[in-house]
Amino acid sequence: MKTLIFFGGTGNLFVNKIFPALVTMYARGDLENVQVVAIGRRFSSQDDYQNFLLKTLTEKDPALLSEDSIKEFWKCLHYLQGDIEDDSTFVKLNQHLAACCTEAIFYLSTLPNLYQNALRQIKSFFPETLLKNAKVALEKPFGDNLPSFQKLKQTLQQTFLEKNIFYVDHYLGKEIVLNLIILKAENWFLERLLSREFVKEVHIGLCEREGVAERKVFYEQTGAIKDVLQNHLLQLLALIAVDAPPLCETDPRECASFLEALAYEKSKLLSKIHLPPPEHIKLGQYTSYREETGYLNSTTETLFVVPLFVATSRWKGVPFYLISGKKMAEKRSFIKVIFSSHLDYTNALYMEIQPEERIDLYLRLKRPGTTLSAMDTRLNFSYAGNFKGASSQAYQKIILDILSGDRALFPDSSFIENAWRLTDQLKTLLDEHRHPLFFYPDYTLTAESLLTERRSENAIP
């Protein structure tokens, strides 16, 4: 029997994201011959843990609470009270796995600073017969710079085969992000339009309403650039900018080859990204951050606007604006491709990742009537409208791929190394020039207002 072992079973990630995905998957029959082991410190009994999960699920998504399905799900869930830094936890886990497990999948949904210790404990306490085919999944951030990631990678490879290591970036499991691959590969005319010949600029944004909340210690040490630019936003940039060959979905081997080639090209593309002059970068911090976190002299950025340039013949001279901020006026993640035009009107391809998964194409079309006049028009596709809300959750896709051993949509170590190399260069550039920080009122800024302001200052090329 396959066993999914979640370290951090009482943490926010497991409770709010992974657990609802598991309940849905079980109801659909996706977890046949799979058991789930959740490890956490807070509860001493299985009943207390189940009641805690039920309360959380009731508050989050009561539609998932079918009495029959949830009772059935408990049959495959085993709670183990323990601490990732306590040897006895691994002794108990090893005894449990020895009785029933044929394939172990270790999922580290814990704080990243616990990864190294957990990996050492796994190597020490589990037999070679179990570990030779075991898998491991871990959540970003993968280290906090290039050397720390390389150290983490080395520790992983001492126990697990490279093909069994899954670096989880949940953005790559979202339907609209996956659709970007199909949009480019299966609509060849659009893939050709995405180039310097037709594109004026690209905006990639991740705007959040919430502040740092319980992540204040981590966030003060990390900042917005390392938190989201190094992973989510560079992944989206690579997907929109990479050369995508046609996809033959009828041939599984050819499809697998396509995805492997795509991963290689994405990694290579990152090595061709150039940084802008430091004066073209904007860093901000929301005004209540210092009081909220207790770091009264903090210079940690909670917002950035960074234009990057891809030094290829296809994209030379086209700025990719990466924009992110906390406590902004809206919660929105998106990619916006702005096409060149001789008119004041902006032709654009807009892909919204959240709050609504949708694709819009902005065009000028004929206005109804007898005169030959034009009007602004939006052609729209949305998952909620076209498929009656049938968009799957990211963690369902992630867990299914881990179970099947499909690494195609997970970033590989080469991509992560290149992403950290670029991020480290950016941080060094900003530190050397003592880049100024501006303070913005909570819940006031939008991605559009930031870009408009920077253009008025002639700070963005």
Side-chain angles (χ1 to χ4, degrees):
M1 177 178 287
K2 292 184 179 181
T3 304
L4 276 165
I5 304 136
F6 291 95
F7 295 94
T10 56
N12 286 334
L13 174 62
F14 181 84
V15 173
N16 294 314
K17 299 290 186 182
I18 295 174
F19 171 60
L22 290 171
V23 172
T24 302
M25 293 169 66
Y26 187 86
R28 289 196 319 225
D30 292 335
L31 296 181
E32 189 174 353
N33 295 320
V34 175
Q35 69 163 329
V36 176
V37 176
I39 301 170
R41 294 180 296 180
R42 289 174 58 184
F43 303 99
S44 59
S45 73
Q46 178 92 9
D47 287 343
D48 289 343
Y49 182 59
Q50 288 179 189
N51 289 334
F52 163 69
L53 293 179
L54 273 176
K55 183 177 182 294
T56 304
L57 196 59
T58 302
E59 294 171 351
K60 181 178 177 60
D61 192 353
L64 290 175
L65 280 175
S66 161
E67 185 174 344
D68 291 338
S69 65
I70 203 75
K71 283 182 178 178
E72 288 297 313
F73 177 73
W74 295 140
K75 294 178 182 178
C76 81
L77 175 68
H78 177 78
Y79 174 69
L80 177 65
Q81 185 181 31
D83 191 319
I84 204 168
E85 297 181 290
D86 185 349
D87 291 358
S88 65
T89 301
F90 292 85
V91 172
K92 290 186 289 186
L93 178 59
N94 191 25
Q95 291 170 347
H96 177 80
L97 296 182
C100 59
C101 179
T102 58
E103 181 183 324
I105 301 104
F106 299 96
Y107 199 120
L108 306 184
S109 55
T110 65
L111 293 173
N113 60 5
L114 298 176
Y115 287 170
Q116 289 282 3
N117 184 68
L119 292 167
R120 284 192 291 267
Q121 297 282 62
I122 289 169
K123 182 177 176 60
S124 298
F125 281 92
F126 297 102
E128 182 73 22
T129 52
L130 179 72
L131 292 180
K132 68 177 181 179
N133 293 316
K135 299 170 186 169
V136 63
L138 59 163
E139 295 272 343
K140 70 93 177 170
F142 313 115
D144 57 12
N145 53 31
L146 179 58
S148 64
F149 169 69
Q150 290 173 330
K151 182 179 178 181
L152 174 63
K153 182 181 75 168
Q154 183 180 34
T155 304
L156 284 162
Q157 292 176 341
Q158 287 171 356
T159 304
F160 301 95
L161 298 174
E162 178 68 22
K163 68 176 183 177
N164 290 333
I165 301 171
F166 294 80
Y167 299 102
V168 177
D169 185 338
H170 70 272
Y171 257 56
L172 297 183
K174 292 180 178 292
E175 285 281 7
I176 204 71
V177 177
L178 297 174
N179 209 333
L180 180 54
I181 298 172
I182 299 298
L183 187 71
K184 286 161 56 72
E186 295 289 88
N187 300 282
W188 198 235
F189 78 97
L190 188 58
E191 166 69 1
R192 294 298 90 200
L193 284 176
L194 295 175
S195 68
R196 66 190 295 265
E197 185 177 358
F198 302 103
V199 175
K200 179 182 177 182
E201 58 193 50
V202 180
H203 305 165
I204 304 174
L206 197 167
C207 305
E208 299 178 280
R209 287 275 298 174
E210 64 269 20
V212 300
E214 71 278 357
R215 302 172 73 218
K216 60 185 179 181
V217 175
F218 164 80
Y219 204 88
E220 175 63 18
Q221 297 170 349
T222 305
I225 288 174
K226 289 186 177 182
D227 189 36
V228 296
L229 182 145
Q230 184 272 338
N231 39 75
H232 297 333
L233 296 188
L234 286 181
Q235 284 283 358
L236 296 178
L237 184 156
L239 282 173
I240 198 71
V242 72
D243 293 344
L247 169 64
C248 180
E249 59 183 298
T250 58
D251 185 334
R253 291 183 63 184
E254 186 172 337
C255 186
S257 175
F258 164 87
L259 291 168
E260 290 173 7
L262 189 67
Y264 171 77
E265 292 298 331
K266 283 169 54 186
S267 179
K268 188 170 71 171
L269 182 130
L270 287 191
S271 67
K272 298 180 180 179
I273 291 178
H274 288 185
L275 298 174
E279 61 269 21
H280 294 168
I281 298 169
K282 191 175 185 71
L283 301 180
Q285 185 186 95
Y286 62 82
T287 52
S288 66
Y289 174 83
R290 293 180 174 184
E291 181 181 359
E292 179 184 331
T293 62
Y295 296 101
L296 301 183
N297 297 308
S298 172
T299 57
T300 296
E301 80 284 353
T302 64
L303 175 149
F304 59 79
V305 182
V306 179
L308 297 178
F309 297 85
V310 182
T312 64
S313 58
R314 179 174 182 169
W315 290 109
K316 185 178 180 180
V318 176
F320 287 74
Y321 298 116
L322 305 192
I323 309 143
S324 184
K326 288 191 171 294
K327 286 203 175 180
M328 295 183 70
E330 58 186 352
K331 180 180 178 68
R332 186 162 62 98
S333 301
F334 65 91
I335 300 171
K336 187 176 184 180
V337 179
I338 299 177
F339 295 99
S340 302
S341 175
H342 65 284
L343 303 172
D344 291 336
Y345 178 77
T346 299
N347 293 118
L349 173 67
Y350 176 82
M351 302 184 67
E352 186 170 278
I353 301 164
Q354 60 179 7
E356 180 186 357
E357 292 186 295
R358 75 176 206 260
I359 302 173
D360 297 336
L361 184 60
Y362 291 88
L363 303 169
R364 294 277 287 173
L365 297 178
K366 181 186 176 300
R367 186 185 304 277
T370 58
T371 60
L372 197 61
S373 60
M375 62 182 291
D376 300 349
T377 307
R378 176 172 68 97
L379 304 184
N380 171 258
F381 161 84
S382 74
Y383 275 91
N386 292 69
F387 299 124
K388 295 181 171 54
S391 172
S392 65
Q393 297 302 308
Y395 276 94
Q396 296 173 32
K397 171 66 174 170
I398 287 167
I399 293 168
L400 280 173
D401 283 354
I402 293 172
L403 287 170
S404 66
D406 186 350
R407 294 175 70 240
L409 296 177
F410 292 81
D412 60 17
S413 57
S414 175
F415 183 96
I416 298 169
E417 284 181 333
N418 283 334
W420 270 125
R421 189 172 288 110
L422 179 65
T423 304
D424 288 352
Q425 290 170 0
L426 174 60
K427 293 293 288 184
T428 299
L429 176 71
L430 296 173
D431 290 343
E432 287 177 349
H433 290 82
R434 298 184 179 181
H435 200 77
L437 194 72
F438 82 99
F439 298 92
Y440 59 98
D442 300 6
Y443 311 118
T444 57
L445 297 180
T446 65
E448 287 77 9
S449 67
L450 284 166
L451 287 172
T452 300
E453 178 186 352
R454 296 306 284 161
R455 286 195 188 89
S456 69
E457 297 172 0
N458 295 317
I460 291 180

